[in-house]
Amino acid sequence: MFSKETYVERRLRLKRAMGSGLLLFFGNNDAPSNYPANAYKFRQDSSFLYYFGLQREGLVGVIDIDNDRETLIGDDIDIDDIIWTGYVPSVKELGESVGVAHAAPMAELQNIVNRAKTQGQSVHFLPPYRHDHMIQIADLLGIHPLQTRDAASVALIKAVVDMRAVKSAEEIEEIERAMEIGYLMHTTAMKACRPGVTEQHIAGLLEGIAHGNGCKVSFQTILSMHGEIQHGYPSMRPLEAGRLMLCDAGAETNDNYCSDNTRVTPISGKFTQRQLDIYTIVEACHDLVLEKARPGLKWLDMHLDVCRLMTDRLKDLGLMRGNTDDAVAAGAHAMFLPHGLGHMMGMDVHDMEGLGQVYVGFDDEVRPSTQFGTNCLRCGRRLQPGFVMTDEPGIYFIPHLIDLWRSQGLHKEFINYDLLETYKDFGGIRLEDDILITDDGNRVLGKQIIPYHPADVEEFINA
């Protein structure tokens, strides 16, 4: 939690951006796992945290711009709860800690909304992603729960995105803390990677580090010998000599800022030549971003530059052929890179994705693509100082995709399917770091960089 002044200033900026209306920010409630009293670990809504900074469940932040009144809505806990959870400050005390002058019980929220509607105020809220909020909003506004996402305020979405996209110095410091935990996680995974150890065991080590040093993992850990599966979650499968282990994992601090890195480790301790051939292409694509990313550059153009470099290098190996620009324009490169180059990151590992990617990563100048592969690019807009982006190119050999495209004769002028057949047992390679866009370029976040150059990886895991 930052200082009270931080949240006061954020809400003031938001009020100036919106101009008028009643703004509702719904904090999260406890979410039961398999019965009501056995809940998942509580995670507050990120936009509620951004403007109100409070970790307690069952709260709603109300900003009445027209009447210059801010209210924290929620019910005080009683002795029955105190027995189990310990003392929790009153809603009024919580509000005062972040500069909110007024407090009211949850039952008052309906009256506040009704008064606003009677006075002709616009009621603004962000797209709900939890069904309890959908029902609550439906009750407040008299609409069907399934209509609540469509009824969300585009003006509020855009105002929140504009603010949250540019990270302050104190936010960057918090992300750097997440990076330190992420460094421990990934270097632990690299050291533990050896034949016979299960994927699940290593992933469990990472979970423990994340929980022991912060709040939790920032997303479900991806750890698998099948690196070609984008979300290859860990299984009880023992690691096998000669293969590669892909680990995509991150940490979330106690103040809920995230890290997100990916590394690939040779299970036998040394890369084979064929593995190096592919790995060094991904390495070069990763480093191209560090060389070129800067304010004013469209992230879509950065993505396409990486695709062209990857295509050129795959042509050197004989896996692709033909004119590089034509191949990328046709989308042939997506056989090997079926996702986007990277995404924004902050309090959400895919920052603000719940607000709608079309508002977060795109604008009137840059619109999302419908082409396979590029349609998974989560951000295409021009970069600004203060953006935090992931740099995560990859090359994957997906047997079912190879078979499908080959049977369709798709992009056969650009793809050497005969040679590609011999790579079906390869897996996949992705390298990912988190970068801050600075005034004149970018820098990799984290005081220590997780080893990723091939010689450094081999030296580290064998030391």
Side-chain angles (χ1 to χ4, degrees), residues 26-316:
F26 293 86
N28 283 337
N29 301 305
D30 277 333
S33 172
N34 56 335
Y35 59 87
N38 188 22
Y40 290 105
K41 182 171 183 176
F42 179 71
R43 173 52 156 94
Q44 187 60 279
D45 174 78
S46 294
S47 289
F48 180 89
L49 272 178
Y50 187 81
Y51 292 105
F52 293 90
L54 298 168
Q55 292 285 2
R56 212 205 85 171
E57 76 288 347
L59 300 174
V60 179
V62 178
I63 302 174
D64 185 341
I65 300 175
D66 304 287
N67 295 296
D68 192 24
R69 185 181 180 92
E70 297 178 347
T71 307
L72 184 66
I73 304 290
D75 296 326
D76 292 333
I77 69 170
D78 56 24
I79 191 62
D80 290 334
D81 291 319
I82 290 173
I83 290 169
W84 297 102
T85 64
Y87 174 73
V88 176
S90 69
V91 173
K92 181 173 179 57
E93 290 170 325
L94 289 171
E96 289 172 346
S97 73
V98 291
V100 176
H102 305 281
M106 190 60 69
E108 181 62 20
L109 183 58
Q110 185 69 69
N111 295 329
I112 291 173
V113 171
N114 289 345
R115 282 195 297 270
K117 292 166 68 177
T118 299
Q119 295 170 7
Q121 282 183 283
S122 297
V123 179
H124 301 271
F125 59 90
L126 298 174
Y129 53 89
R130 290 191 171 191
H131 290 92
D132 54 346
H133 286 159
M134 293 179 186
I135 294 169
Q136 186 177 16
I137 293 168
D139 288 343
L140 288 169
L141 298 179
I143 60 178
H144 192 279
L146 296 182
Q147 296 175 328
T148 54
R149 286 191 62 83
D150 290 337
S153 167
V154 173
L156 182 58
I157 290 171
K158 290 182 176 180
V160 171
V161 167
D162 284 347
M163 288 184 64
R164 285 184 56 190
V166 178
K167 306 300 184 289
S168 66
E170 60 187 353
E171 288 182 285
I172 295 303
E173 289 178 10
E174 196 61 31
I175 293 173
E176 297 266 30
R177 292 188 185 98
M179 302 302 304
E180 292 178 26
I181 305 170
Y183 178 87
L184 289 174
M185 292 168 65
H186 277 276
T187 52
T188 296
M190 294 168 71
K191 286 287 192 181
C193 178
R194 60 183 183 274
V197 179
T198 66
E199 297 172 354
Q200 189 174 15
H201 174 77
I202 298 177
L205 297 176
L206 308 193
E207 296 263 347
I209 292 170
H211 283 270
N213 291 275
C215 175
K216 63 186 185 71
V217 293
S218 53
F219 58 96
Q220 187 176 345
T221 297
I222 298 164
L223 192 148
S224 177
M225 290 180 290
H226 284 281
E228 79 279 7
I229 302 173
Q230 301 304 298
H231 288 172
Y233 298 124
S235 71
M236 280 300 295
R237 184 185 301 113
L239 299 180
E240 300 170 11
R243 300 187 66 176
L244 299 171
M245 181 189 77
L246 184 147
C247 177
D248 187 343
E252 187 172 303
T253 68
N254 288 323
D255 282 328
N256 304 109
Y257 282 82
C258 298
S259 71
D260 184 6
N261 295 95
T262 307
R263 291 295 186 264
V264 171
T265 306
I267 296 169
S268 295
K270 188 174 178 60
F271 293 102
T272 67
Q273 186 57 52
R274 187 171 77 149
Q275 290 167 349
L276 275 175
D277 290 342
I278 302 301
Y279 190 104
T280 54
I281 299 176
V282 179
E283 176 192 22
C285 292
H286 168 280
D287 289 354
L288 180 67
V289 177
L290 305 185
E291 175 188 337
K292 296 191 66 173
R294 64 190 184 279
L297 174 71
K298 287 190 290 187
W299 192 246
L300 172 62
D301 290 341
M302 188 74 261
H303 170 81
L304 294 174
D305 282 349
V306 163
C307 294
R308 283 186 281 268
L309 174 59
M310 183 189 73
T311 299
D312 281 339
R313 295 286 295 271
L314 288 171
K315 284 165 57 178
D316 293 340

Side-chain angles (χ1 to χ4, degrees), residues 440-454:
D440 57 0
N442 70 86
R443 72 174 178 90
V444 179
L445 291 170
K447 295 177 182 177
Q448 301 180 86
I449 306 301
I450 306 160
Y452 74 93
H453 296 301

